[in-house]
């Protein structure tokens, strides 16, 4: 008789249960997932106790999730999966600005601000002028590029993590370029911070002897008609965590200069140009 489960034919037995007329991509994805999961369990000879620990871990990850907390994304991030999915879906020509993880702290609908405005509303931190140009591969300025920026505050928290402490939209804003493609805004020199680590992902990191920190960075989403959306950060190069980002988000092309200028109340200047890629290129 066929169709009964055996250790040797586990993959074939499970995958044979799929219907004939299901979505072909779903069939491909699930067949591969089953193949890899079974192979993993056989490879390490997973014990029943370990399986129970894994189920307990996933249960806790689900239970801690809410509108503000997404433990499964943190799990994906800390296992390098988010960066891998991002890398294979955003291959770009050399010289184009690279993508990196979005992270859980982007909020849609930040205030549109005028070029040069400040995004820091809590008065904390060392002020920094961020400026540069949105250009294409030929160095031509991009008119109408929308630059959505956000960072943590000087204490290492995003406004949404401290709704009763920080002003709403603190260290966030949206800027739109003109004919010259130039952008500028005043924020703070960002500081490194731990990702939320009071849940199962935090426990996983500590069991693995890993720290939960991200090196200091400014987040950007850049959109322009006809060009690929860029989801990226710029990083502070001398940050102690620059080579050990817990979510693997650093790329050397995204390390930006932070120059001390001490110009009135502005202490730092961080120049950086963003190079956009046409929609149909490099995909
Ligand atoms: C962030 O940079 O905001 C972030 C990215 C991944 C996980 C947690 C935070
Ligand atoms: Fe961040």
């Amino acid at each position: 008789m066929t169709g009964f489960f055996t250790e040797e034919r586990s993959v074939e037995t499970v995958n044979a249960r799929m219907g004939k007329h299901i979505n072909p991509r779903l069939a491909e994805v699930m067949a591969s997932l089953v193949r890899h999961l079974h192979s993993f369990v056989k490879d390490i000879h997973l014990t029943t106790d370990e399986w129970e620990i894994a189920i307990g871990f996933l249960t806790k990850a689900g239970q801690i999730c809410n509108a503000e907390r997404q433990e499964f994304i943190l799990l994906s991030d800390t296992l390098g999966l988010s960066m891998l999915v991002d890398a294979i879906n955003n291959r770009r020509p050399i010289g184009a600005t690279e993508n990196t993880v979005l992270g859980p702290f982007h909020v849609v609908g930040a205030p549109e601000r005028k070029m040069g405005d400040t995004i820091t509303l809590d008065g904390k931190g060392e002020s920094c002028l961020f400026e540069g140009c949105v250009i294409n591969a030929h160095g031509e300025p991009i008119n109408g590029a929308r630059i959505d920026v956000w960072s943590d505050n000087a204490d290492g928290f995003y406004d949404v993590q401290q709704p009763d402490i920080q002003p709403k939209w603190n260290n966030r804003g949206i800027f739109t370029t003109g004919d010259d493609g130039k952008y500028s805004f005043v924020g703070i020199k960002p500081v490194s911070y731990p990702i939320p680590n009071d849940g199962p992902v935090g426990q996983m990191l500590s069991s693995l002897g890993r720290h939960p920190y991200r090196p200091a960075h400014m987040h950007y989403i850049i959109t322009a008609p006809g060009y690929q959306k860029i989801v990226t950060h710029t990083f502070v190069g001398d940050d102690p965590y620059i080579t050990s980002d817990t979510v693997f988000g650093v790329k050397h092309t995204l390390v930006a200069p932070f120059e001390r200028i001490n110009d009135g109340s502005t202490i730092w200047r961080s120049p950086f140009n963003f190079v956009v890629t046409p929609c149909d290129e490099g995909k």
Side-chain angles (χ1 to χ4, degrees):
M1 271 198 275
T2 55
F4 291 125
F5 191 96
T6 63
E7 182 180 330
E8 293 71 27
R9 293 189 45 78
S10 65
V11 173
E12 294 77 1
T13 311
V14 172
N15 283 339
R17 292 283 171 92
M18 272 193 268
K20 294 266 175 295
H21 304 295
I22 63 169
N23 178 312
R25 177 64 177 164
L26 177 66
E28 182 187 7
V29 168
M30 289 307 294
S32 176
L33 180 66
V34 168
R35 215 165 39 244
H36 283 89
L37 276 178
H38 287 221
S39 155
F40 159 71
V41 167
K42 289 174 186 179
D43 183 35
I44 55 164
H45 191 141
L46 193 74
T47 67
T48 307
D49 285 353
E50 289 164 346
W51 179 86
E52 277 173 9
I53 291 170
I55 295 295
F57 175 88
L58 292 173
T59 304
K60 281 199 224 117
Q63 286 166 339
I64 204 172
C65 286
N66 58 34
E68 282 82 42
R69 178 71 179 261
Q70 230 305 351
E71 197 74 0
F72 289 107
I73 295 186
L74 292 183
L75 180 60
S76 164
D77 293 345
T78 50
L79 293 180
L81 283 180
S82 305
M83 281 303 287
L84 182 58
V85 173
D86 192 68
I88 65 180
N89 286 282
N90 293 286
R91 294 179 183 131
R92 296 192 182 129
I94 290 170
T97 300
E98 298 191 88
N99 249 48
T100 188
V101 277
L102 172 66
F105 298 124
H106 177 250
V107 182
V108 173
E112 306 262 354
R113 303 191 194 278
K114 286 205 303 289
M115 278 309 168
D117 271 359
T118 183
I119 59 170
T120 302
L121 310 177
D122 65 356
K124 289 184 173 178
E126 297 187 348
S127 73
C128 179
L129 172 68
F130 293 81
E131 63 179 353
C133 215
V134 181
I135 52 178
N136 64 18
H138 310 292
E140 293 155 353
I142 304 296
N143 183 18
R146 212 163 170 272
I147 308 177
D148 188 344
V149 303
W150 69 106
S151 83
D152 59 345
N153 78 347
D155 299 326
F157 294 102
Y158 289 86
D159 58 350
V160 287
Q161 294 177 285
Q162 297 187 312
D164 301 328
I165 298 175
Q166 294 189 39
K168 195 167 165 62
W169 306 119
N170 190 30
N171 291 307
R172 296 179 191 271
I174 296 177
F175 299 85
T176 304
T177 59
D179 286 348
D180 59 4
K182 285 188 179 159
Y183 76 89
S184 67
F185 64 93
V186 178
I188 58 163
K189 185 180 182 200
V191 300
S192 39
Y193 62 86
I195 64 166
N197 63 343
D198 55 346
V201 169
Q203 274 167 12
M204 177 191 81
L205 292 176
S206 105
S207 312
L208 294 175
R210 285 176 55 181
H211 69 70
Y213 281 86
R214 297 217 61 207
H217 55 272
M218 176 62 73
H219 288 264
Y220 295 85
I221 296 178
I222 295 170
T223 48
Y227 292 93
Q228 295 173 26
K229 174 178 175 177
I230 302 176
V231 176
T232 199
H233 324 339
T234 57
F235 290 92
V236 178
D238 60 1
D239 189 284
Y241 300 106
I242 196 74
T243 55
S244 66
D245 183 0
T246 197
V247 304
F248 307 97
V250 183
K251 294 182 176 176
H252 74 91
T253 58
L254 300 177
V255 175
F258 279 79
E259 303 158 355
R260 233 174 206 285
I261 52 171
N262 285 327
D263 176 9
S265 61
T266 307
I267 302 175
W268 298 95
R269 172 178 175 265
S270 182
F272 197 86
N273 288 343
F274 294 94
V275 182
V276 292
T277 307
C279 284
D280 52 0
E281 228 177 87
K283 282 272 177 190

